[in-house]
Amino acid sequence: MTESAPTFPLRDWHERLAAGAARTPLESPDGARWLARWAWVCLIVAATLVLACGYHAGFIRLNAFAASYPDWIWQCFTVLGDERVPFALSLFFSLRYPRVFWTLILSALIAILYSRGFKELVDSVRPPGVLAADAFHLIGPGHRHHSFPSGHSVTAGVFFGVLIYHARLVEWRLLFLLLAILAGFSRVAVGVHWPVDVAAGLLGGALAAWLGARFAARWPGPATDVSVHLAIVTLAVVLAIGMLYDDGGYPGAALMLQGLGVGALLSALLQYLVLPLLRGWRDS
């Protein structure tokens, strides 16, 4: 037992990563079609809004509609686009579905390039910088710059897009699509993005998920590399811990963030430490 104790956690992680990789196909043609169609719809919506009605089209009407619902609802949906949340949620499935986890990482890198690149290239002004304070309903911080595209929408789009790509049931894909749309719409509801920003954000998220899935299929090795996997999991753990103390400017979602953070941390503790230790002691 003394000699095997230092090695059995690594061996357990390696075996479970290998088993998890075998559980998930490298490619999902049906999932790719879903993402492609979603991206086309987002592109059509964004183009129609800008060409037919202008860059600010639809904001006042949609924001007023959302104001008829409690603020905490939109705060909870909008934090789904907080970059910490997808990382924390990934801890629930990272070891069981390492290929999905690896696809998410590659897709996130592409999404960051898309979001940050366009924000610097197109420094458009957000609603709080254009409209009078009494002209719309604002929830949370009143950001004024870097409106295009909506970063929260990109994040939600890429996270749920990866899940859509790998999901096997239509019902799950529809649920993930609905959550992505609600997370994007919440950016209009809280008053910090124009509808076209959201459409462009969801478009970028879908494209990033599609590209990330293709790259992951052609470069699958890191998905089962224990050192790479644990490095990314460590980052996800740090971000999950941050959710316990920082509500991202949306206090109505603080309890949800804390619950997700605690759940993600307990899941990681169980999967990566408790179960391997129990199996090691049992085998010895």
Side-chain angles (χ1 to χ4, degrees), residues 50-284:
V50 173
L51 297 177
C53 307
Y55 183 71
H56 300 161
F59 174 80
I60 293 295
R61 186 181 297 272
L62 292 175
N63 180 262
F65 166 77
S68 62
Y69 292 88
D71 288 358
W72 66 266
I73 292 178
W74 303 119
Q75 293 185 63
C76 288
F77 278 124
T78 211
V79 297
L80 292 178
D82 186 318
E83 293 175 351
R84 299 170 300 172
V85 173
F87 273 98
L89 291 177
S90 68
L91 292 173
F92 287 102
F93 60 79
S94 55
L95 193 56
R96 181 170 175 79
Y97 297 103
R99 281 185 177 161
V100 180
F101 187 55
W102 177 235
T103 301
L104 179 62
I105 299 306
L106 292 178
S107 301
L109 294 175
I110 298 169
I112 289 171
L113 293 176
Y114 173 86
S115 179
R116 303 292 169 80
F118 272 105
K119 281 184 179 294
E120 293 299 326
L121 183 64
V122 186
D123 186 12
S124 55
V125 182
R126 300 185 188 223
V130 174
L131 303 173
D134 59 354
F136 69 106
H137 185 56
L138 178 66
I139 305 171
H143 303 295
R144 293 176 175 269
H145 299 286
H146 300 300
S147 187
F148 183 91
S150 164
H152 278 64
S153 298
V154 174
T155 300
V158 73
F159 177 65
F160 291 113
V162 168
L163 297 183
I164 287 172
Y165 181 86
H166 285 287
R168 298 179 182 179
L169 297 178
V170 171
E171 292 82 0
W172 279 112
R173 285 175 170 159
L174 290 173
L175 175 61
F176 295 144
L177 180 59
L178 177 61
L179 289 173
I181 292 172
L182 287 172
F185 177 76
S186 71
R187 301 308 286 165
V188 177
V190 300
V192 293
H193 276 292
W194 311 103
V196 68
D197 299 334
V198 171
L202 293 176
L203 166 64
L207 290 176
W210 181 80
L211 286 172
R214 292 181 66 87
F215 286 138
R218 285 155 179 74
W219 187 29
T224 53
D225 186 304
V226 174
S227 59
V228 173
H229 183 86
L230 291 180
I232 302 171
V233 165
T234 301
L235 173 61
V237 166
V238 172
L239 294 174
I241 292 173
M243 290 165 55
L244 305 181
Y245 305 99
D246 181 8
D247 59 22
Y250 296 101
L255 185 60
M256 187 186 85
L257 285 174
Q258 291 167 0
L260 291 176
V262 169
L265 293 171
L266 290 177
S267 176
L269 179 65
L270 179 66
Q271 294 180 74
Y272 289 93
L273 293 178
V274 175
L275 291 180
L277 286 171
L278 291 176
R279 276 189 287 267
W281 288 334
R282 180 195 61 196
D283 295 341
S284 62

